[in-house]
Amino acid sequence: MSHAPGDALKHRHRTIRAELAARELDALVVTSLANVLYLTNFTGSAALVVLTAERLYFLTDFRYVTAINEARPTSHACPDLELVIVDGSYDGALAKLLGSLKLDRVGFEAAHLTVGRHTWLTDTLARESGRRSPLMATEGIVERARLCKDEYEIRTLREAARRLAVVAADVLGDARAGRTEREVALAIDWRIRHGGFERSAFETIVASGPNAARPHARPGERTLDEGDVVVLDFGGVYDSYCVDLTRTVSVGRATARTREVYAAVREAHDNAIAAVRPGRSRFDIDAAARSVLDERGLGEAFGHGTGHGLGIEVHEDPRIGRRRPEADTRDEYVAPGMVFTIEPGAYLADWGGVRIEDDVLVTADGVEVLTDVTTELIEI
């Protein structure tokens, strides 16, 4: 179980219930495990939530009953939780519960329910009730509530970033000549666990030499050599919240080309962070990084977005990227409480690449960089 205080959970429930009332929905079926965690502190692998105006029905099987009951007397217990033990099919238990509640309009998370499951539920509810199924598709109700972090989440992310900065101080020295990418990645993963994290937030990236030209290269058996640039991208999960950091180092003395590309990416990184403030468009923040690399002749070498949101998931909203005319531009502006990465990069085939990434918090009057790690070019 995660440890958000019961009062924080209660506030989250009120926020979702207000949105349901505005949409004239009697309940919301939550099938995304990340959203289940946000509403209940549950960190297991199987559960469903049905949130009504009065109750939170929590459906799980015998594996997690003890954990739920042990949490009840604690300060992080989920308020108004009614446990429904699943004995058999989760969808069968859900259909039975919804049938007993006799609700007229029930929202479901369209992005997290397969067509097959939806068809089965719709047919079953209609057959057993003798009337039209109450299920109504919704998009992003809980995800939008997760955009701006509450006080507990901000404290947790600050502590996670502090711990990651401590890990980074040792990690930056791991990329030594003679070690393979895989060996360095294993050392980083050990440091993350030793630093108090539950696990790595994603598969650690160690990309050396020409491999660094691939933004999401997987560590392999290539041996680090003098003159290599090495991209080190790693993160951890602390009390269910993700942090993420990238630094690029030089094995031995950096070449003139390395210094040139690194300086451009670092300026893009700094320019983007300086652009972060409440009410600023996320597209403008991306442009602040991209314009620097365009001016340095590296615009074509920067093909991904400038950043992504952090929280229960390592990639969530807001997305800090280019404005695309065909895309939905809702939630365009950043607001206090949002946490996301700033991670411009430049990737050049047959040479390598540079990426510098930090985690930032939008504050009431600007920005706070959560990951306190030097951005100077380090030569190992």
Side-chain angles (χ1 to χ4, degrees):
M1 302 292 288
S2 193
H3 299 91
D7 287 346
L9 296 179
K10 186 173 290 188
H11 178 77
R12 297 172 190 180
H13 299 172
R14 283 199 298 266
T15 299
I16 303 304
R17 284 172 171 139
E19 182 64 22
L20 296 181
R23 298 180 184 221
E24 298 183 335
L25 293 172
D26 301 315
L28 178 67
V29 176
V30 181
T31 49
S32 159
L33 281 174
N35 290 340
V36 169
L37 190 160
Y38 181 74
L39 296 173
T40 68
N41 279 334
F42 177 76
T43 56
S45 62
L48 300 173
V49 160
V50 177
L51 185 70
T52 70
E54 302 294 334
R55 301 294 291 168
L56 185 148
Y57 296 92
F58 185 86
L59 288 74
T60 194
D61 60 71
F62 75 97
R63 293 173 295 172
Y64 302 112
V65 171
T66 299
I68 296 299
N69 287 331
E70 287 179 346
R72 288 186 187 274
T74 70
S75 62
H76 53 270
C78 179
D80 303 322
L81 182 147
E82 185 165 323
L83 179 61
V84 178
I85 301 175
V86 176
D87 183 12
S89 162
Y90 270 79
D91 287 344
L94 176 61
K96 182 178 179 180
L97 173 64
L98 292 177
S100 70
L101 294 176
K102 298 183 176 4
L103 303 171
D104 291 325
R105 290 172 54 84
V106 177
F108 71 92
E109 297 181 305
H112 305 292
L113 191 69
T114 66
V115 172
R117 291 180 68 193
H118 175 263
T119 299
W120 186 90
L121 283 167
T122 299
D123 291 348
T124 300
L125 290 169
R127 183 175 62 252
E128 294 184 355
S129 67
R131 59 192 178 92
R132 183 183 175 190
S133 167
L135 295 179
M136 308 287 172
T138 68
E139 292 282 351
I141 290 179
V142 182
E143 286 86 349
R144 276 192 288 278
R146 287 166 49 192
L147 265 171
C148 294
K149 274 50 183 176
D150 58 35
E151 290 182 7
Y152 164 78
E153 292 177 296
I154 290 171
R155 286 198 307 272
T156 301
L157 285 162
R158 279 195 178 117
E159 176 60 16
R162 185 195 69 77
R163 288 171 179 264
L164 195 63
V166 173
V167 169
D170 294 322
V171 161
L172 297 182
D174 283 334
R176 300 191 300 272
R179 305 187 79 182
T180 68
E181 294 172 341
R182 194 183 307 278
E183 287 171 340
V184 176
L186 288 171
I188 292 172
D189 289 341
W190 179 89
R191 292 189 187 283
I192 288 170
R193 293 297 294 268
H194 192 66
F197 291 94
E198 299 158 29
R199 61 185 183 278
S200 295
F202 51 89
E203 184 178 0
T204 296
I205 296 171
V206 177
S208 63
N211 290 341
R214 294 182 287 154
H216 278 184
R218 302 182 70 176
E221 298 304 325
R222 186 183 186 278
T223 300
L224 278 58
D225 199 4
E226 292 287 328
D228 280 348
V229 286
V230 185
V231 174
L232 305 166
D233 188 348
F234 52 95
V237 180
Y238 177 77
D239 199 8
S240 304
Y241 282 79
C242 302
V243 283
D244 186 2
L245 181 78
T246 305
R247 290 295 184 266
T248 303
V249 300
S250 173
V251 180
R253 188 169 181 79
T255 65
R257 183 58 167 157
T258 297
R259 294 182 183 280
E260 176 188 4
V261 176
Y262 191 95
V265 173
R266 186 184 184 196
E267 184 180 350
H269 162 275
D270 294 350
N271 208 42
I273 290 177
V276 177
R277 60 178 179 272
R280 190 71 185 267
S281 166
R282 56 192 174 94
F283 306 119
D284 289 345
I285 297 169
D286 176 86
R290 207 166 297 279
S291 63
V292 172
L293 294 172
D294 283 338
E295 291 170 4
R296 302 295 184 274
L298 292 169
E300 294 299 316
F302 180 29
H304 57 72
T306 294
H308 57 82
L310 289 168
I312 291 170
E313 297 174 288
V314 74
H315 290 94
E316 58 181 54
D317 289 335
R319 310 290 171 152
I320 311 300
R322 284 176 281 194
R323 185 189 299 274
R324 301 186 186 278
E326 72 279 8
D328 187 348
T329 58
R330 289 178 301 174
D331 304 321
E332 175 179 335
Y333 302 100
V334 301
M338 290 185 179
V339 176
F340 49 84
T341 67
I342 294 293
E343 51 177 304
Y347 311 93
L348 304 167
D350 302 322
W351 177 77
V354 172
R355 182 165 66 252
I356 304 172
E357 175 186 27
D358 278 301
D359 304 342
V360 303
L361 164 69
V362 184
T363 64
D365 55 2
V367 62
E368 175 186 342
V369 179
L370 300 178
T371 39
D372 184 15
V373 181
T374 182
T375 58
E376 296 283 346
L377 176 57
I378 293 178
E379 298 169 318
I380 307 299

